[in-house]
Amino acid sequence: MRKSVAIVGIGQSEFKKNIGKNERRIALEAIKNALTDAGISPHEVDGLVRFNMENLSEVEVARNLGIENLRFFGEIGYGGGGACATVAHAQMAIETDRANVVVCWRARNRGSGVRPWAATGNRVPGDDQFSAPFGCVRPVDQIAMLTRRYMHEFGATWQHLGKVAVTIRDNATRNPQAMMQKPMTLADYEAARYVSEPLRLFDCCLESDGALAVVVVSAERARDLRNKPAYVLAASQGTGPDHVVMTNYYKKNFLETPSKYAAEELYRQAGVTAKDIDCAQFYDAFTPLVLFSLEEYGFCKPGEAPAFVDEGRIGPKGDLPVNTSGSSLSEAYVHGMNLIVEGVRQIRGTSTSQVKDAELSLVTSGAGVPTSAMILAGNPS
Amino acid sequence: MITERPMPLPDDATTEFWQACQKHELRMQRCASCKEFRWPPRPMCGACQSFDSEWIQVSGRGTIYSYVIAHAPMLPAFAPRAPFPIILVALDEDPAMRMIGNLIGDMREGLQIGAKVTVAFEEVGEVTLPQWKIVGA
């Protein structure tokens, strides 16, 4: 149901390469900060939604918060594809009277911890048995494969990828919480080393330690709280056909990602189109995902994203300012949970790259994996 | 980190694929009922829900559909080869049937989207991997 729930609290830890505290500690800090921000007592929390990659359990959160009883708890798979889905599930729980106050969080010490691909085993099961023996284990290789084909089909160049990275870095320099504060030019971008051609270092997200949390309640409750509510106008999930996680190469339409399906569902629920969106936080583990998302979320046609970027339309003065906190590329990479928090800030009017009178704020989660997305709204009616 | 190259862990749906590779045959799983290819191999046909399958020897000819050049950092077993190509091959029998692989010897001559390739099997210990050679290179 449209605007039946709202995000009323946001909280986070610092973002650092090595934060010097464990994931449990920073998760609890972020959750506590979010509840303080909402003005809701931890004792009122009766629902939790976690990522299934999260190391901290619901019961451990509940014990630390002093939650009497969890009426609702659940978890979302597929890493960065799941961020918006945590809120989507909270929405369903509240709508069906299975919970009153739901906290969704993600804590990840990925900066000081190990790279998941470095934990590849000697014998690889499942779909990855057809990729790992050939050295295709890193997300950067898996996304670079899509990128090369995209560039081939649509004439995109390294400059288009670079402009995405430069635009998002520029946003980060205005956000004191962002890890990357140093301005970057297109020449700086080009001068950096390749990680997996055609992708260079600054096409890749940061390796961060950090945690974020959001508090979701009914729209009715939200109206009595201290912050301007960010109403959930729509929230969706999607996979598309014949999906294989990360090496999603085996379906008929190679360049199509789950985002296309999440987008269709999102706009169907919302009753709006891309033209109505004021700003977007696109999941940006890698720069090309922003190009793919511009197209699949309907801001331009397939193959037109490079021109969209060339025309400066994703910048702070463009018609679709994107990734206004610096996002995964330049703020912190926390599986896209920071994109949700920034989407809320845009509704509240508190972003460091604030879009004037932002009414509809789009947030998307990982492309290349089963994904999710949502539209936040400022107007309650 | 593992020091050896990661190898497949075959399961009930993929064992026949890897056994065929050991005989230097590229055999793909096809639904015995509706004749749709299933790639990667799986128990059930998504088109007709049949559990029956047959293993069809294909020509081993294909086209490079996309590729990357992987640079460091990477798993230690691959590091001495870096930077090296990882390619995606669309098989002649069904262009939506795409296989990840490498070029034998990591040869980059002629490497481009659209280049014609043929399968070339590589023995790595007890496992045989399907790899590729660019035609005419």
Side-chain angles (χ1 to χ4, degrees), chain A residues 120-124 132-135 137, chain B residues 2 4-8 75 77-78 129:
Chain A
T120 302
N122 283 307
R123 290 281 171 168
V124 179
F134 310 101
V137 298
Chain B
I2 57 170
E4 289 173 14
R5 184 165 169 178
M7 284 293 140
L75 292 174
F78 296 103
L129 298 175

Side-chain angles (χ1 to χ4, degrees), chain A residues 176-255:
Chain A
Q177 298 291 339
M179 286 174 68
M180 303 300 275
Q181 295 290 333
K182 196 177 150 201
M184 181 169 72
T185 64
L186 204 54
D188 298 331
Y189 165 89
E190 191 196 7
R193 63 185 174 82
Y194 280 117
V195 185
S196 187
E197 294 175 52
L199 299 181
R200 293 171 164 85
L201 183 64
F202 296 119
D203 290 307
C204 305
C205 64
L206 300 170
E207 298 184 293
S208 319
D209 289 0
L212 300 107
V214 299
V215 181
V216 187
V217 300
S218 70
E220 191 182 5
R221 176 78 192 275
R223 284 193 272 281
D224 300 328
L225 295 169
R226 62 165 69 133
N227 294 305
K228 180 179 177 183
Y231 295 98
V232 177
L233 175 64
S236 68
Q237 294 180 267
T239 64
D242 291 319
H243 186 84
V244 170
V245 178
M246 289 308 293
T247 50
N248 191 20
Y249 303 158
Y250 312 120
K251 58 210 187 307
K252 285 198 168 54
N253 188 347
F254 180 74
L255 289 176

Side-chain angles (χ1 to χ4, degrees), chain A residues 115 117-127 129-138 140-150 152-153 193-198 242 244 247-255, chain B residues 1-11 14 17-18 36 39-42 64-75 78 81 83-88 96 98-102 108 113 126-127 129-131:
Chain A
R115 295 168 167 146
W117 60 261
T120 302
N122 283 307
R123 290 281 171 168
V124 179
D127 294 324
Q129 71 188 280
F130 297 104
S131 52
F134 310 101
C136 191
V137 298
R138 303 177 302 174
V140 67
D141 300 311
Q142 295 158 348
I143 299 300
M145 195 71 85
L146 300 175
T147 308
R148 171 91 63 185
R149 184 71 200 187
Y150 179 89
H152 173 80
E153 286 197 18
R193 63 185 174 82
Y194 280 117
V195 185
S196 187
E197 294 175 52
D242 291 319
V244 170
T247 50
N248 191 20
Y249 303 158
Y250 312 120
K251 58 210 187 307
K252 285 198 168 54
N253 188 347
F254 180 74
L255 289 176
Chain B
M1 254 190 286
I2 57 170
T3 53
E4 289 173 14
R5 184 165 169 178
M7 284 293 140
L9 180 65
D11 58 38
T14 66
F17 175 86
W18 294 111
E36 281 276 312
W39 175 252
R42 70 197 68 141
I64 294 180
Y65 192 77
S66 189
Y67 67 96
V68 309
I69 309 288
H71 293 247
M74 60 182 63
L75 292 174
F78 296 103
R81 293 162 54 182
F84 73 100
I86 304 169
I87 64 172
L88 187 65
R98 306 181 187 100
M99 296 179 67
I100 298 166
N102 306 120
R108 289 210 229 167
I113 289 177
E126 291 175 356
V127 180
L129 298 175
Q131 300 281 28

Side-chain angles (χ1 to χ4, degrees), chain A residues 69-90:
Chain A
N69 177 44
L70 279 178
R71 283 208 290 153
F72 166 72
F73 45 95
E75 59 184 29
I76 310 291
Y78 306 110
C84 290
T86 63
V87 176
H89 285 224

